[in-house]
Amino acid sequence: MPPLILDSHKLTWHQRRLASWLAGERIAPITIDCALTQACTYNCVYCYGKLQYNEGRALSRLVIFRFLDDCADIGVKAVSFVSDGESTCSPHLYDAILRGRANGLDMALGTNGFLLSDERLPDILPALTYLRFNITAADPDRYAEIHGCKVECFHKVVNTIRQAVAIKKQQHLDVTIGLQMVLMPHFHDQILPLAHLSRELGVDYLVIKHCSDDESGSLGVDYEAYGHCTGLLKEAEELSAQDYQVQAKWSKILSGGKRCYSRCYGPPFILQMSGTGLVAPCGMLFNDKYKKYHIGNISEKSFKEIWQSDRYWEVMDLIASENFDAQTMCGTLCLQHKVNEYLFEVKELDKALAKPSGPAPQHINFI
């Protein structure tokens, strides 16, 4: 199998888009991460979505389909349903996955899995590049405590994961099925149990990531305490096998929550959209208090019109200017972080564009 990159970026495999951007052209995003709703069935203690609230409206089937059609039309390559809501709460999720794939887009879903219909798995798995379950504990009681749900939810989700893995194997599908643990230091007791459970379930990978926080530290993430988890994380990675990978996102976990760049160049390549339909550069700027960075809403105007507008590019230019400091004016370690690190080196430090080396990785369009 091609390599599975879980702690870096894949931008170097998109040389043409990079060259266009460096030439000052208006480029379409390679990846868009979005949600179909802000609703969620859980109340996770680490949830950044609580900090992303913005006024909006429910996204209709018509609006969602128009958005996916526009993505294909302007040259977007991949759409992931993750962002600031649990997209399984939308009645249009399954049709949206199929519509996006029919349009030639790579499609992905990140979910807690509780509302994910086992009956619809045979329909959507062939259309997905990856299906990722967000699960932070292997013990049912700890699961309920961390995710803010009933203990019974754990058993339903584990069964759905088993069903998805079985269907993938039966149908010989290319879809990658993985689990993601959002690690806060005091969840350390679940690192090894979850690594063992993931292997037993037969998924392709378990990724263990940091917890993002806003610029005010609202979630209280103690980034220095991650250092005490390194031994357990390395032990978990040793459980990797030929068909199973455990990967800690070391570059962020050990960063101390700090950015090495001050300007934000990533959103033109990897854009985010809220479950309210709000288009903004990234999820950390969704909240209504960041309205100066809000671009438009796909319920009011087509995404293609929004992308073509002067407003879209004014905001992109603003966050890439000296009037925006990514180290102090937005939250920690965002979705665009690794892309931002690379682009800052290219743009500000005159580092030459890296050429891709080795075989192309999996999920190449989810940069």
Side-chain angles (χ1 to χ4, degrees):
M1 291 290 293
L4 183 62
I5 296 176
L6 297 171
D7 188 25
S8 186
H9 66 87
K10 311 178 192 82
L11 199 51
T12 51
W13 275 270
H14 298 274
Q15 294 288 309
R16 184 173 298 177
R17 200 76 53 109
L18 277 166
S20 296
W21 175 74
L22 284 171
E25 298 176 18
R26 294 183 170 187
I27 62 168
I30 297 169
T31 309
I32 296 181
D33 176 70
C34 58
L36 300 180
T37 176
Q38 268 197 329
C40 188
T41 49
Y42 284 10
N43 187 27
C44 302
V45 298
Y46 56 77
C47 181
Y48 201 96
K50 301 171 186 176
L51 311 177
Q52 295 172 307
Y53 178 79
N54 60 89
E55 292 288 347
R57 64 187 71 176
L59 298 179
S60 69
R61 175 188 172 95
L62 178 64
V63 166
I64 294 167
F65 276 26
R66 182 179 68 185
F67 163 72
L68 293 167
D69 294 348
D70 283 346
C71 286
D73 188 33
I74 70 173
V76 175
K77 295 179 180 292
V79 172
S80 56
F81 290 141
V82 186
S83 196
D84 61 340
E86 175 55 54
S87 288
T88 57
C89 293
S90 168
H92 311 298
L93 170 65
Y94 306 105
D95 289 342
I97 291 171
L98 298 178
R99 177 68 168 230
R101 190 70 198 104
N103 284 349
L105 299 168
D106 285 354
M107 301 298 297
L109 173 63
T111 175
N112 61 37
F114 178 64
L115 289 183
L116 189 61
S117 169
D118 293 357
E119 291 73 25
R120 296 303 305 270
L121 288 173
D123 301 326
I124 63 170
L125 285 174
L128 290 171
T129 299
Y130 71 80
L131 171 60
R132 189 184 72 215
F133 292 88
N134 300 316
I135 177 171
T136 298
D139 175 78
D141 291 323
R142 286 287 276 147
Y143 180 93
E145 175 190 351
I146 293 169
H147 287 291
C149 63
K150 296 180 179 179
V151 171
E152 292 77 14
C153 297
F154 173 83
H155 301 292
K156 189 279 171 186
V157 170
V158 167
N159 182 66
T160 296
I161 295 169
R162 291 189 194 278
Q163 293 293 324
V165 170
I167 292 168
K168 172 186 173 173
K169 292 180 177 178
Q170 290 165 3
Q171 298 187 17
H172 305 287
L173 300 176
D174 291 331
V175 60
T176 303
I177 300 175
L179 307 187
Q180 175 175 273
M181 178 186 195
V182 179
L183 178 65
M184 295 183 84
H186 55 288
F187 301 161
H188 62 86
D189 61 303
Q190 293 302 303
I191 293 173
L192 287 176
L194 190 56
H196 283 287
L197 175 63
S198 303
R199 182 167 176 169
E200 186 268 322
L201 289 172
V203 298
D204 297 297
Y205 69 86
L206 167 67
V207 62
I208 305 171
K209 70 183 289 290
H210 66 294
C211 180
S212 294
D213 209 340
D214 67 6
E215 64 270 35
S216 302
S218 298
L219 297 178
V221 184
D222 183 358
Y223 288 103
E224 298 302 321
Y226 278 123
H228 301 304
C229 301
T230 55
L232 290 170
L233 291 170
K234 290 178 180 178
E235 192 174 345
E237 288 188 333
E238 290 174 358
L239 292 172
S240 298
Q242 184 175 0
D243 56 354
Y244 169 60
Q245 180 175 342
V246 180
Q247 174 70 63
K249 288 198 171 187
W250 292 108
S251 66
K252 291 184 178 182
I253 289 173
L254 300 181
S255 70
K258 306 296 184 184
R259 300 173 187 264
C260 61
Y261 53 89
S262 56
R263 299 188 183 183
C264 185
Y265 292 118
F269 294 90
I270 177 168
L271 182 73
Q272 287 186 274
M273 188 180 80
S274 170
T276 65
L278 169 70
V279 178
C282 71
M284 293 187 167
L285 300 176
F286 282 167
N287 193 282
D288 283 336
K289 66 182 179 181
Y290 303 113
K291 281 191 174 180
K292 67 181 292 185
Y293 306 108
H294 293 177
I295 300 168
N297 193 296
I298 63 168
S299 291
E300 301 165 359
K301 188 180 291 186
S302 75
F303 177 69
K304 184 176 182 179
E305 291 178 282
I306 292 171
W307 173 73
Q308 290 175 331
S309 69
D310 290 339
R311 172 65 181 168
Y312 183 97
W313 295 102
E314 287 168 1
V315 172
M316 294 301 171
D317 290 342
L318 172 59
I319 61 174
S321 75
E322 61 185 12
N323 295 316
F324 184 83
D325 185 354
Q327 295 179 350
T328 61
M329 296 173 70
C330 60
T332 58
L333 308 176
C334 60
L335 177 67
Q336 294 84 358
H337 180 67
K338 299 305 294 183
V339 169
N340 273 332
E341 284 184 334
Y342 175 68
L343 293 175
F344 187 79
E345 290 181 344
V346 170
K347 193 80 169 178
E348 301 296 328
L349 305 180
D350 297 322
K351 184 175 181 179
L353 283 179
K355 300 295 183 183
S357 59
Q362 298 181 52
H363 315 162
I364 194 170
N365 292 326
F366 295 95
I367 60 171

